[in-house]
Amino acid sequence: MATERDWLDEGLAVLAGQGAPAVTIEVLCERLGLTKGSFYHHFRGMAAYRAALLEHFETRFTTEFIAVAESSEAKLERLLDLVTGKGDAAGLEVAVRAWAQQDPLARAVQERVDRRRIEYLSTLWRRRGGAEPETMARLLYLILVGAGHLVPSLTADELREVYELAVRPCGRS
């Protein structure tokens, strides 16, 4: 028997690999080897599932990332580890953004996620004593968003190099 989280994790995998239109009950049931009855045991329908999926995305890739970073002494560095360490995250980020262009609920969640992430980056930069925290936060976030659209994708090491260059004080190498 699959848990609600199993259904949501599988939905994120489908979303990352094939986009929002591919996230259907049939595809999810086939991938999990389960019946529609199992799906309906956890969700009242596709609309409820998609809302839960977006909430799950926000929790796993924003709320949990912030919580882990906050538990570390080197918060920004820990956040960079999380961002560059998730192999499927780039595809998922692009897929959610594409979905947000077509769906008002996905757009509202994406706007909230973007705002929260940028606010957190700004807070981290301010704590470090960095100048222009809001601008730097947008720069760091734009690196993540833009990197997800490169073909071929940057490796985790290449993305980390870009981040390290961005946060390096001027004149230091």
Side-chain angles (χ1 to χ4, degrees):
M1 177 64 123
T3 65
E4 181 175 317
R5 179 159 180 147
D6 293 333
W7 285 99
L8 294 172
D9 286 343
E10 196 62 38
L12 291 180
V14 172
L15 182 59
Q18 300 173 44
V23 180
T24 64
I25 296 172
E26 292 77 15
V27 167
L28 293 167
C29 288
E30 181 179 321
R31 287 176 60 123
L32 289 169
L34 297 168
T35 65
K36 288 182 181 181
S38 179
F39 175 88
Y40 286 108
H41 174 75
H42 296 289
F43 306 99
R44 293 166 68 187
M46 253 343 254
Y49 176 78
R50 287 177 177 253
L53 185 63
L54 287 164
E55 183 179 321
H56 187 56
F57 163 74
E58 182 175 9
T59 298
R60 281 199 52 211
F61 293 94
T62 301
T63 306
E64 290 179 10
F65 277 22
I66 290 171
V68 170
E70 280 298 303
S71 70
S72 173
E73 224 166 283
K75 293 172 182 15
L76 183 58
E77 291 75 11
R78 183 66 182 121
L79 185 61
L80 294 180
D81 289 342
L82 293 168
V83 169
T84 60
K86 289 283 188 179
D88 62 344
L92 182 58
E93 292 286 336
V94 171
V96 173
R97 285 183 187 289
W99 186 9
Q101 294 300 313
Q102 308 298 319
D103 180 91
L105 178 60
R107 182 178 185 86
V109 170
Q110 186 66 68
E111 287 175 0
R112 186 173 60 239
V113 163
D114 286 348
R115 187 173 43 256
R116 186 161 181 217
R117 290 173 175 177
I118 291 169
E119 286 170 358
Y120 184 64
L121 285 167
S122 179
T123 298
L124 290 181
W125 196 250
R126 189 175 294 107
R127 286 180 193 165
R128 289 172 62 122
E132 303 182 54
E134 290 80 14
T135 302
M136 188 60 169
R138 286 191 297 271
L139 173 63
L140 293 173
Y141 195 57
L142 288 170
I143 292 169
L144 173 70
V145 172
H149 291 276
L150 287 178
V151 178
S153 301
L154 292 178
T155 66
D157 289 339
E158 290 169 331
L159 182 56
R160 180 166 268 299
E161 286 175 4
V162 173
Y163 275 121
E164 287 173 355
L165 177 63
V167 299
R168 184 181 311 147
C170 291
R172 284 181 53 192
S173 49

